[in-house]
Amino acid sequence: MLLTEKSVRKILEAGPGSGELTVSLDLGLSESEIRVLEVGVDFGEGGLVPFPALRRIQKDPDSVFRVIGGAVEKVMLFSPETQKTYKLRPTRSWPALEISGVLMHRVAGTDPLEDAASKVRALGRGRLGEVLDTCCGLGYTAILGAKRADAVTTIEIDPSVISLARLNPHSRPLFVEGSRIQLLETDTRQAIVNFRESSFDSVIHDPPTLALGGDLYSSSF
C-alpha cells in the first residue's frame, strides 16, 4: 500500500471518525476503501495508522510512503555500492525516479508518462518490430513501447533501480512472465556487443544525466 501527500490530504480533509472513504493506495491505478476512525485510519492488511504519521506524509509532498503493519516508511533506498540514494517522487501522473536528488524523468511542463510516450511516438507510426531500450529505469518507455512492438528488450544495470521498480505499481508490466518485454539486468555497454547484427528495428537511447552516466554519451559507446 502506497500513500502520497495527495491521498493523505483527502483523508485529513474528511476528518477523524468520518468512516468509510475511497482513496488510491497504488499511486492512482485503482481506488480502495479505508475506514477513518477517531484515532487513525484502518488500512485493512496495512494495519491502523495514527493521524500523526499521516500528517508527516502531508509535510513531504515529494515522497511516496509505504504502509506496513500500521507504520509508514518512505520509499527510499541507499546503495553502499554506488553511495547513492534512490526514491520514488510523486508527479501528476506516474511517479518519477530520483537518484541522489537528481530527477531521472522530465517533469517541467510534462510528466513521466507523457515523457515516455513522446519517446515512443518519435519512432514513428505503426508496428515497431523489435525494439531496444538501452536504459530501463522504471520501465515506462519499455512498457508503452511494448504496446506497439513485437518485442522490447530493455536493460538496467542498477539493482537499486530494479528494486524501486518492483515497488512501483506502474512498473508491474516489466515483471510479467510471457509479456513482450525482456528485462536484462546487466551493463548496456556489455550487452550491445553480444547482440547479432540487425537485431533491432528501433533503438531508444535515453541515458541519465552526464554526471551519472557519462560513458553512455561516449564516442566508443
Side-chain angles (χ1 to χ4, degrees), residues 7 17 35-37 42 60 63 87 94 121 129 140-141 147-148 162 203 215:
S7 52
R35 291 172 58 224
V36 185
L37 309 177
D42 182 1
D60 192 353
S63 298
K87 65 178 282 189
W94 296 2
R121 285 197 299 269
Y140 299 159
T141 304
K147 295 181 179 181
R148 292 173 49 205
I162 297 294
V203 177
D215 55 332

Side-chain angles (χ1 to χ4, degrees), residues 21 25 45 49 52 58 91 106 127 131 153 169 182 208-209:
L21 188 68
L25 301 177
E45 293 181 1
V49 177
Q58 189 181 34
T91 74
R106 293 169 55 224
R127 296 298 297 174
V131 176
T153 299
Q182 180 186 24
T209 63

Side-chain angles (χ1 to χ4, degrees), residues 79 82 84 86 99 155-163 185-186:
S79 169
T82 65
K84 294 182 175 67
Y86 304 76
I99 301 179
I155 306 172
E156 178 55 55
I157 188 175
D158 196 324
S160 295
V161 174
I162 297 294
S163 295
E185 299 181 39
T186 186

Side-chain angles (χ1 to χ4, degrees), residues 1 25 33-34 42-49 67-71:
M1 296 180 180
L25 301 177
E33 282 194 355
I34 60 173
D42 182 1
F43 286 97
E45 293 181 1
L48 178 65
V49 177
V67 180
I68 304 175

Side-chain angles (χ1 to χ4, degrees), residues 141-191:
T141 304
I143 291 166
L144 296 183
K147 295 181 179 181
R148 292 173 49 205
D150 296 329
V152 176
T153 299
T154 186
I155 306 172
E156 178 55 55
I157 188 175
D158 196 324
S160 295
V161 174
I162 297 294
S163 295
L164 275 190
R166 290 188 181 277
L167 293 175
N168 177 22
H170 294 280
S171 299
R172 286 173 186 162
L174 279 179
F175 308 105
V176 175
E177 291 188 13
S179 73
R180 293 194 182 104
I181 302 174
Q182 180 186 24
L183 172 60
L184 303 180
E185 299 181 39
T186 186
D187 188 336
T188 296
R189 295 171 302 173
Q190 297 174 4

